[in-house]
Amino acid sequence: MGMNVRILGRVHVNTSVWSSADCTWCSSWQSSCQQQRCITSSKGICQPHLNVAFLKVHKCGSTTVANMMYRFGYKHKLIVALAPKSAQSIIGSFGTIKDRDYKHPPGGKRWNIFATHAMYNRTRFHQLMDPNTRYVTILREPLTRLQSAFQYFHLQRRFPGLQEQTPRGASYVTTYLKRPEFWDPQYRQPKTKKEREHFCFRNCMARDLGLNEKDYQNHTAVEDFIQGIDNDFTMVMILEYLSESLVLLKRRMCWTFHDILYKYDRRSSRKQRYTRNTPITVNMKDRFYKRNHADVMLYTHFKNSLQRQIEKKGADFLQEVQYFKRVNKDVSRFCHSRKRKRKSRKMVVPKSKWNEAFSVGSSFCASYGKSRRYWHPLLTSVYH
């Protein structure tokens, strides 16, 4: 199935099979919009939902999604939750958000968008967010998440003796996984609160979403916790199904392809590749899963839920996902090409069965994939 991609100036064109005179961006899934309680205009066309709290979960691809949320907030001139200083990567501490922990919106207004690290505290978030807020988060297969955390945070330094017991050329995480029940009590906490909140090795996803450590092995408490997340959150994305998750988010929020474009940082990915040998055995995985009961239950519940939703959506949804992947890939190529450096050059994504036509140019590419520190000064403009 072809897709129109036009670059104004010099153009390469593929013909699209999706354009149709009687098919508009929202009408093909308008009933889905209404089922998800999307705002509709008097003409019955979906209107974008503008109040979203995205709860970042460490090492689950959450920064990629958060950068997308910052861009969305800036585009729509929304009040985005900000820490007092751009260097601060967390709002609050371990679920407690005090008045000094954030930049206060003018006139007693509430936040429209939240996308900074903070542990989920239902009561506090409902006090600070717009009443019409929808909650979104993202999860990742627990063992893969641990590997990423070991690599990124150098967790081997937090376990005295672990580096010395790791054979040359072997991965530190494999030494940990051979005896997690031995290493867990050896963990040496960082000195600062910020590092203590960032550095995590056990049931970290459940922890970030508000589960108390004393309940990690309490099956009933974990079930109740998961049900609470299911009730509170409009969307729980799964990193292994990122494109599918984003297209579902687009449909539920009545957003556009332009809103969910994301930059996959290949340089960061290369840094995260495990340069040492990392042979994970079945026994290692079983030991880790036993020690991370809460995360395994959480991830399994929402992965299964997402898979059921995808199955129910049928062939049209899967076609839309493939189309979005191509759009996102082509935008990424354009923004990394020499063509976009000339201000006059634009890439046009044509109207299709699932989107209205839109274009991206040098201004979009300049901010494409930028992180919190880039957006912080720009987002403060609505605070004045």
Side-chain angles (χ1 to χ4, degrees):
M1 296 176 181
M3 181 187 74
N4 259 343
V5 177
R6 294 188 295 161
I7 299 174
L8 299 186
R10 294 184 65 177
V11 187
H12 94 265
V13 182
N14 297 324
T15 58
S16 171
V17 299
W18 298 120
S19 59
S20 172
D22 59 355
C23 183
T24 62
W25 162 57
C26 217
S27 62
S28 65
W29 47 273
Q30 183 177 323
S31 59
S32 173
C33 269
Q34 292 169 340
Q35 287 169 8
Q36 295 298 334
R37 301 187 300 279
C38 282
I39 302 169
T40 56
S41 69
S42 58
K43 296 181 180 179
I45 302 300
C46 292
Q47 300 297 308
H49 191 87
L50 301 179
N51 301 304
V52 182
F54 175 63
L55 274 295
K56 295 187 70 178
V57 177
H58 287 85
K59 307 314 299 172
C60 290
S62 58
T63 296
T64 296
V65 180
N67 295 342
M68 186 189 81
M69 295 287 181
Y70 292 136
R71 189 181 73 232
F72 181 86
Y74 182 71
K75 172 185 174 181
H76 292 279
K77 297 181 173 58
L78 303 174
I79 297 175
V80 178
L82 298 173
K85 297 180 181 179
S86 63
Q88 293 175 244
S89 59
I90 302 176
I91 290 181
S93 177
F94 291 95
T96 299
I97 301 178
K98 298 179 180 178
D99 287 347
R100 67 171 181 266
D101 294 330
Y102 60 92
K103 191 173 181 65
H104 288 251
K109 293 180 180 179
R110 296 190 183 190
W111 297 324
N112 304 116
I113 300 288
F114 189 96
T116 304
H117 274 300
M119 288 189 184
Y120 181 53
N121 178 327
R122 186 180 190 274
T123 301
R124 193 65 173 124
F125 269 88
H126 280 248
Q127 292 170 348
L128 295 168
M129 295 298 304
D130 184 276
N132 194 27
T133 293
R134 292 181 183 174
Y135 291 80
V136 177
T137 191
I138 187 167
L139 303 174
R140 182 180 191 177
E141 191 280 315
L143 184 51
T144 307
R145 196 218 69 84
L146 177 77
Q147 289 178 272
S148 180
F150 251 86
Q151 183 82 359
Y152 187 83
F153 293 117
H154 304 289
L155 288 181
Q156 67 275 7
R157 299 172 184 172
R158 312 309 313 172
F159 297 96
L162 189 146
Q163 294 182 79
E164 292 76 10
Q165 292 191 32
T166 302
R168 179 175 294 184
S171 172
Y172 295 122
V173 74
T174 56
T175 302
Y176 168 83
L177 289 170
K178 288 175 182 177
R179 292 192 297 165
E181 64 281 352
F182 168 79
W183 291 111
D184 285 355
Q186 310 299 321
Y187 181 73
R188 188 176 58 207
Q189 288 280 3
K191 293 181 180 180
T192 68
K193 274 189 175 182
K194 175 185 174 181
E195 287 185 328
R196 287 199 296 273
E197 189 157 344
H198 278 317
F199 289 29
C200 180
F201 62 94
R202 188 171 177 226
N203 290 309
C204 305
M205 297 187 293
R207 184 204 70 155
D208 282 356
L209 293 178
L211 182 66
N212 195 301
E213 185 176 356
K214 68 180 177 61
D215 292 324
Y216 282 177
Q217 296 300 120
N218 185 329
H219 186 84
T220 302
V222 173
E223 283 186 325
D224 291 342
F225 160 75
I226 292 172
Q227 187 59 56
I229 297 299
D230 217 344
N231 292 339
D232 288 356
F233 282 69
T234 296
M235 183 77 205
V236 176
M237 301 191 290
I238 300 295
L239 181 59
E240 290 81 5
Y241 297 87
L242 182 58
S243 293
E244 291 86 348
S245 295
L246 288 173
V247 172
L248 272 176
L249 183 70
K250 164 187 171 284
R251 289 188 174 201
R252 290 184 179 179
M253 301 296 183
C254 298
W255 289 1
T256 68
F257 278 158
H258 187 276
D259 297 326
I260 62 171
L261 292 171
Y262 69 92
K263 180 179 180 181
Y264 182 75
D265 193 339
R266 289 185 177 87
R267 291 175 300 173
S268 176
S269 177
R270 284 195 293 269
K271 290 177 185 177
Q272 285 291 295
R273 284 178 186 165
Y274 312 114
T275 55
R276 295 167 178 257
N277 294 325
T278 315
I280 306 298
T281 66
V282 173
N283 183 54
M284 288 178 185
K285 184 174 181 179
D286 289 345
R287 281 173 176 258
F288 176 75
Y289 270 30
K290 185 177 180 180
R291 298 285 296 176
N292 289 266
H293 178 68
D295 265 8
V296 173
M297 285 183 63
L298 179 70
Y299 175 78
T300 302
H301 174 87
F302 285 107
K303 185 186 78 169
N304 291 343
S305 175
L306 180 67
Q307 289 174 333
R308 288 193 298 270
Q309 292 172 61
I310 292 171
E311 188 176 346
K312 287 180 181 178
K313 296 296 181 184
D316 178 76
F317 175 79
L318 296 177
Q319 290 167 358
E320 183 178 2
V321 170
Q322 292 306 312
Y323 186 81
F324 167 66
K325 286 181 178 180
R326 293 197 296 273
V327 169
N328 196 62
K329 188 175 183 179
D330 285 340
V331 169
S332 180
R333 284 176 174 171
F334 172 75
C335 284
H336 286 92
S337 71
R338 294 180 180 179
K339 294 175 183 178
R340 72 95 173 169
K341 293 181 180 179
R342 296 183 183 178
K343 292 185 178 180
S344 61
R345 296 295 178 92
K346 288 187 177 182
M347 171 184 160
V348 176
V349 177
K351 179 179 177 179
S352 79
K353 186 177 180 179
W354 305 286
N355 65 284
E356 292 288 358
F358 66 90
S359 65
V360 296
S362 58
S363 60
F364 173 86
C365 291
S367 62
Y368 179 54
K370 293 292 186 181
S371 61
R372 172 181 46 81
R373 289 197 181 199
Y374 171 88
W375 290 110
H376 191 282
L378 298 175
L379 294 168
T380 57
S381 61
V382 299
Y383 279 75
H384 301 307

